[in-house]
Amino acid sequence: MPPKARKDLRQAKHLQDATIEGGDELIKQMETRVFPLKYIQPPAIYQAKIEQGKFIRIDAEGRLILCDALAEAERDKPDLVVDFATLTGAPRVAVGTELSALFCNDDSMADALIQHGRTVGDPVWRLPLHPPYQDLLESRVADTLNSANTPFAGASTAALFLQRFVPSDIPWAHFDIMAWNPRARPGRPEGGEAMAMRAVFSHIAQGVGAA
């Protein structure tokens, strides 16, 4: 097994599905393979919102599962929707491995999450849902691309893709996280890490909408 595959496998076994008691959770699962390096063609799963999508990157299949979950979640008209995903590598370049990248469609909610993150020692950093980048997801033959055909703004374009499946009147926070501590720190041993969950729990515990 190549060294990179061994490293990926070591990290992957630490990342498990998790839920927070006290609210509804929606878990979407799919098969993934770390080694051999083979990709699985995703199904056309997001008929709930659009007629067809064009898959230009098969290794961006995780966001197809996630957008399906977001479309399902909004059916119950929740007070807020939060998702956590190791979606892209781009935030690691922007904010490193110790901050959770936050994308949010509601300024008040974003400010509250940032404040709660500071309070509980679970820092989050907001990155932009820059509307003009929606153009990078346009296709000549489909309603949307699942991944922008550019090496730039990968985390923002992935979040913009997900935003298409969340109604604008539902506060939504998307965390693109590392979920892994590459080095040991006080209270955070090396290995899998539930990033941003303390900040979100603190926000919910004080009541949705409270700062």
Side-chain angles (χ1 to χ4, degrees):
M1 182 180 293
K4 184 178 186 302
R6 286 199 300 270
K7 180 180 178 182
D8 290 344
L9 183 60
R10 180 167 172 261
Q11 292 187 8
K13 70 180 182 180
H14 284 280
L15 304 179
Q16 304 292 332
D17 291 326
T19 62
I20 299 178
E21 294 183 2
D24 293 331
E25 63 274 351
L26 184 61
I27 300 176
K28 286 285 184 176
Q29 296 178 323
M30 67 178 299
E31 180 185 357
T32 59
R33 299 177 185 177
V34 177
F35 185 84
L37 296 179
K38 296 180 180 179
Y39 297 115
I40 302 170
Q41 176 68 47
I45 57 171
Y46 45 90
Q47 297 94 336
K49 290 289 183 179
I50 57 179
E51 291 300 321
Q52 61 173 299
K54 180 182 179 183
F55 304 144
I56 65 170
R57 286 183 58 205
I58 304 306
D59 61 334
E61 79 278 13
R63 67 195 63 179
L64 304 181
I65 301 298
L66 186 51
C67 74
D68 193 42
L70 292 172
E72 179 70 20
E74 62 95 2
R75 293 183 181 181
D76 292 331
K77 305 302 179 184
D79 292 323
L80 78 163
V81 172
V82 181
D83 73 75
F84 306 84
T86 54
L87 201 65
T88 72
R92 309 294 75 77
V93 178
V95 301
T97 62
E98 297 176 10
L99 290 168
S100 300
L102 164 66
F103 296 88
C104 190
N105 65 352
D106 183 278
D107 291 339
S108 296
M109 181 179 177
D111 291 344
L113 289 169
I114 292 170
Q115 182 57 52
H116 284 286
R118 293 189 184 122
T119 301
V120 300
D122 189 15
V124 304
W125 196 271
R126 191 179 186 185
L127 295 181
L129 288 165
H130 187 49
Y133 288 165
Q134 289 280 10
D135 294 344
L136 300 175
L137 296 172
E138 297 301 322
S139 168
R140 294 181 180 179
V141 297
D143 295 313
T144 186
L145 301 177
N146 75 315
S147 180
N149 194 17
T150 174
F152 306 113
S156 288
T157 55
L160 287 167
F161 172 76
L162 296 176
Q163 188 181 27
R164 296 185 174 198
F165 301 88
V166 181
S168 59
D169 61 340
I170 295 180
W172 164 66
H174 161 61
F175 290 96
D176 193 337
I177 58 176
M178 176 75 166
W180 179 265
N181 290 321
R183 65 186 180 95
R185 292 175 289 141
R188 290 178 169 84
E190 180 182 356
E193 174 68 22
M195 298 179 71
M197 291 189 181
R198 298 175 185 87
V200 171
F201 179 82
S202 178
H203 173 54
I204 294 174
Q206 284 199 9
V208 173

